[in-house]
Amino acid sequence: MTATEHTPQPPGERPGEPPSAAPPAAGTPAPGLGFLREPGKLFALSLTVLRAVFRRPFQFREFVEQFWFIASVTILPAALVSIPFGAVIALQVGSLTSQISAQSFTGAASVLVNIQQASPLIVALLISGAAGSAICADLGSRTIREELDAMEVMGVSPIQRLVVPRVLATVCVAVLLNGMVSVVGTLGGYFFNVVLQDGTPGAYLASFSALAQLPDLYISEIKALVFGFIAGIVASYRGLNPRGGPKGVGDAVNQSVVITFLLLFFVNMVLTGIYLQLVPPKGV
């Protein structure tokens, strides 16, 4: 009888056991931390954009074109959406205050909710849905056509040339548009409360002036600025990293809108909590 030939086993493995997995390559995230890769890349892009803002040359013409485009597609929808938002808030608050015999505080409650919460979110959602999707589709189409690779070969930074003007445009439009939405929403709430719920115009304005303060407007503009930056960064990041050709560009657009919505509501909760802890409420 011939002796059975055995294949030598690698050290550390027993006969009959499957070979052990190869050790992870250098630079590979540890198991269980892969979900941090995309947020890390998004945060790195944010820092890169912030640094590139102060570099020269600044693409002023691209900034103006993007600013005009974003403003043109968001001004009218924002004004139309802010009216029913202000009306719903005023009607709901007016109904609640009438039940507890506190009609004199209707103006303060409805206007403060509209300025602090509704206006920044309306602006951010519209910019993300209208302008952010266009930015993501534009950058995604350039990426799959390898235009960005060609720019890098020629020594032109795609971040400074394309991303920075778009992000700055979304931030500026969000801050300016937030003021308009606040005014339109406040006027809409005033009209519906006074006309439909027989509210007193003097009490509506007096309660607002008694409880409102300048930090309420400051936090509204800060939220608009942060939300505009988030919308621009997320849209640019997904546009720079599409997967699967033209179909991947469409998927990236949908993902950018969904991711932006989730981040907006989370960041809004954080900013609101910080504001309520730092700024004391104004007494009557």
Side-chain angles (χ1 to χ4, degrees):
M1 294 179 62
T2 58
T4 305
E5 297 181 357
H6 294 280
T7 304
Q9 298 291 333
E13 294 184 1
R14 298 180 180 178
E17 291 185 354
S20 58
T28 304
L33 298 180
F35 68 95
L36 297 176
R37 185 180 306 170
E38 294 298 321
K41 292 180 179 179
L42 181 63
F43 184 73
L45 177 62
S46 304
L47 296 180
T48 303
V49 170
L50 290 176
R51 289 196 301 264
V53 168
F54 303 99
R55 294 177 182 173
R56 297 295 179 268
F58 178 73
Q59 303 298 326
F60 184 74
R61 180 176 180 179
E62 184 77 14
F63 167 76
V64 173
E65 291 178 353
Q66 294 299 320
F67 182 93
W68 176 255
F69 166 73
I70 297 173
S72 63
V73 299
T74 54
I75 287 180
L76 183 59
L80 295 178
V81 170
S82 61
I83 295 176
F85 255 88
V88 169
I89 293 173
L91 294 176
Q92 186 66 45
V93 172
S95 175
L96 178 62
T97 54
S98 64
Q99 295 177 20
I100 60 176
S101 301
Q103 294 91 337
S104 59
F105 296 101
T106 302
S110 60
V111 174
L112 290 179
V113 170
N114 181 71
I115 292 178
Q116 291 188 17
Q117 305 296 330
S119 296
L121 285 176
I122 291 173
V123 171
L125 295 179
L126 287 175
I127 287 182
S128 174
S133 58
I135 292 174
C136 182
D138 179 42
L139 294 179
S141 62
R142 292 172 184 263
T143 301
I144 64 174
R145 292 197 303 263
E146 299 182 352
E147 292 183 16
L148 304 186
D149 295 335
M151 293 176 64
E152 293 180 352
V153 170
M154 293 186 295
V156 179
S157 172
I159 301 298
Q160 187 175 4
R161 177 64 179 82
L162 299 175
V163 176
V164 171
R166 286 163 171 76
V167 173
L168 287 181
T170 56
V171 170
C172 293
V173 172
V175 172
L176 297 177
L177 201 61
N178 182 65
M180 185 200 73
V181 173
S182 299
V183 172
V184 175
T186 300
L187 293 178
Y190 173 83
F191 174 81
F192 281 92
N193 177 260
V194 172
V195 174
L196 298 183
Q197 294 183 320
D198 297 327
T200 305
Y204 191 96
L205 298 177
S207 63
F208 168 65
S209 60
L211 296 179
Q213 50 187 338
L214 279 179
D216 298 326
L217 181 60
Y218 297 158
I219 189 60
S220 178
E221 294 295 344
I222 291 174
K223 284 183 178 182
L225 186 147
V226 174
F227 294 167
F229 182 78
I230 292 175
I233 286 292
V234 173
S236 300
Y237 174 75
R238 294 306 304 140
L240 295 174
N241 300 277
R243 299 174 183 175
K247 182 180 181 300
V249 175
D251 295 337
V253 172
N254 295 332
Q255 293 170 6
S256 70
V257 175
V258 174
I259 293 172
T260 303
F261 283 10
L262 295 176
L263 287 177
L264 289 180
F265 286 106
F266 177 76
V267 174
N268 180 63
M269 178 190 66
V270 173
L271 291 178
T272 301
I274 294 175
Y275 173 77
L276 294 178
Q277 292 296 323
L278 296 180
V279 180
K282 184 179 178 181
V284 180

